[in-house]
């Protein structure tokens, strides 16, 4: 039996034309289903009972969780600010910091008032030495050096001046002051020395004159234990003398301790 191809070809062409546009989509569907999505699946909030497994044999399944939007709380502090509170208690002091460098020297202050006098010191610790002697007789030079001796005592503290020898003996080492006063003789030379041991320290001198005058000499000496201080009259190589009489004292020799070496 013969079949008319023309009659069959017409409906077939229409079928190909109808599914020609759908066929490529059907072929790509497995590829689209096999592609793994790059974006992570969203996380959903779950209730405490969502973790329970459905009972065995039950055909019902838990409904998928729904996504809950995130809520952030914002508090306006200017609205919540209250009134100023009471002042708190004073806290404990902190540790001292590092000491800073010294500052510049300030100006000198005003002079203060004089303080009260202190109590008197112990008299036993204060050392004294003093003498004052005189001569009432005139004296002429001899053939040798001679000490000027004295016959009148004004002060001789602790007997440190020897009246027989005419010498002061140091019993308290320290600084002393000495002074000699003499009266010259008319037309005669006056020539004396204040001596420390055998050394001439200062001279008392007056040239011959028609009138007699008073001459004086002073000195400060540093003395050691047992040092001697005396007045020496020069020998007869020079015609010299010192004047005095029985009525008045014209010749004096004085000395006293200023400061002891050990107090």
């Amino acid at each position: 039996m013969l079949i008319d191809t023309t009659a069959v070809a017409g409906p077939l062409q229409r079928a190909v034309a109808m599914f020609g546009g759908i066929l490529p989509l059907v072929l790509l569907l497995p590829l689209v289903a096999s592609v793994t999505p790059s974006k992570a699946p969203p996380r959903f909030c779950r209730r405490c009972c969502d973790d329970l497994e459905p009972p065995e044999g039950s055909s019902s399944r838990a409904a998928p969780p729904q996504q809950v939007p995130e809520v952030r709380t914002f508090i306006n502090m200017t609205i919540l600010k209250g009134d100023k509170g009471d002042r708190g208690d004073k806290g404990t002091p902190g540790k001292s910091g590092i000491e800073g460098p010294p500052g510049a020297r300030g100006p000198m202050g005003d002079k203060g008032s004089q303080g009260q006098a202190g109590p008197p010191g112990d008299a036993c610790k204060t050392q004294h030495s003093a003498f004052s002697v005189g001569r009432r007789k005139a004296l002429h030079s001899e053939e040798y050096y001679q000490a000027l001796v004295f016959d009148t005592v004004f002060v001789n503290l602790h007997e440190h001046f020897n009246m027989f020898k005419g010498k002061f003996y140091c019993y308290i080492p320290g600084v002393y002051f000495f002074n000699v006063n003499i009266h010259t003789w008319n037309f005669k030379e006056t020539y004396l020395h204040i001596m420390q041991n055998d050394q001439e320290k200062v001279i008392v001198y007056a040239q011959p004159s028609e009138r007699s005058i008073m001459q004086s000499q002073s000195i400060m000496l540093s003395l050691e234990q047992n040092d001697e201080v005396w007045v020496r009259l020069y020998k007869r190589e020079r015609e010299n003398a010192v004047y005095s009489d029985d009525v008045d004292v014209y010749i004096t020799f004085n000395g006293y301790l200023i400061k002891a070496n050990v107090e």
Side-chain angles (χ1 to χ4, degrees):
M1 181 178 61
L2 296 173
I3 301 174
D4 189 0
T5 58
T6 59
V8 176
L12 181 60
Q13 289 177 354
R14 288 191 298 269
V16 170
M18 183 183 300
F19 294 100
I22 302 175
L23 182 60
L25 297 176
V26 174
L27 295 177
L28 292 175
L29 182 61
L31 296 177
V32 173
S34 62
V35 173
T36 304
S38 59
K39 184 177 181 181
R43 301 178 64 181
F44 302 97
C45 296
R46 304 180 66 181
R47 295 178 297 177
C48 60
C49 58
D50 291 343
D51 294 336
L52 298 178
E53 295 289 337
E56 295 182 2
S58 174
S59 60
S60 62
R61 299 185 64 181
Q66 297 181 0
Q67 184 176 4
V68 180
E70 181 180 2
V71 178
R72 295 184 179 181
T73 303
F74 174 76
I75 302 175
N76 190 346
M77 299 302 296
T78 60
I79 299 176
L80 299 179
K81 183 178 179 181
D83 296 335
K84 185 176 180 180
D86 297 335
R87 186 172 183 176
D89 298 335
K90 184 178 181 181
T92 57
K95 296 181 179 180
S96 300
I98 301 175
E99 184 177 356
R105 185 175 182 179
M108 181 179 294
D110 298 334
K111 184 178 180 181
S113 57
Q114 184 176 359
Q116 297 179 353
D122 189 354
C124 297
K125 295 182 179 180
T126 305
Q127 304 182 79
H128 300 281
S129 180
F131 73 92
S132 179
V133 294
R135 180 182 175 94
R136 294 179 180 273
K137 295 181 180 180
L139 181 65
H140 289 78
S141 60
E142 301 288 345
E143 299 293 336
Y144 52 87
Y145 294 112
Q146 57 181 318
L148 185 61
V149 294
F150 300 87
D151 51 29
T152 303
V153 177
F154 300 108
V155 175
N156 191 8
L157 196 61
H158 307 305
E159 302 295 328
H160 289 178
F161 189 87
N162 189 314
M163 294 293 293
F164 180 74
K165 295 183 178 181
K167 294 182 178 181
F168 168 78
Y169 289 88
C170 176
Y171 294 98
I172 304 174
V175 178
Y176 287 79
F177 174 82
F178 296 96
N179 166 263
V180 61
N181 299 283
I182 57 95
H183 191 279
T184 63
W185 201 305
N186 295 2
F187 304 105
K188 293 186 179 180
E189 188 177 38
T190 301
Y191 194 179
L192 301 94
H193 286 96
I194 295 179
M195 308 288 294
Q196 179 179 357
N197 300 323
D198 294 329
Q199 297 180 357
E200 302 170 350
K201 291 300 180 182
V202 290
I203 189 174
V204 183
Y205 180 77
Q207 293 181 340
S209 174
E210 296 181 356
R211 294 184 302 172
S212 61
I213 59 174
M214 295 291 298
Q215 289 286 85
S216 179
Q217 182 64 281
S218 302
I219 188 174
M220 294 176 63
L221 296 174
S222 178
L223 304 182
E224 299 297 334
Q225 185 80 21
N226 296 325
D227 277 354
E228 302 174 0
V229 179
W230 50 292
V231 180
R232 189 189 70 178
L233 188 65
Y234 203 79
K235 56 187 178 180
R236 190 182 282 264
E237 292 177 0
R238 297 170 181 260
E239 182 66 25
N240 69 90
V242 289
Y243 176 83
S244 189
D245 57 32
D246 297 335
V247 178
D248 296 315
V249 178
Y250 288 86
I251 305 170
T252 59
F253 184 33
N254 314 284
Y256 57 89
L257 174 65
I258 296 176
K259 186 179 185 302
N261 292 343
V262 179
E263 295 183 350

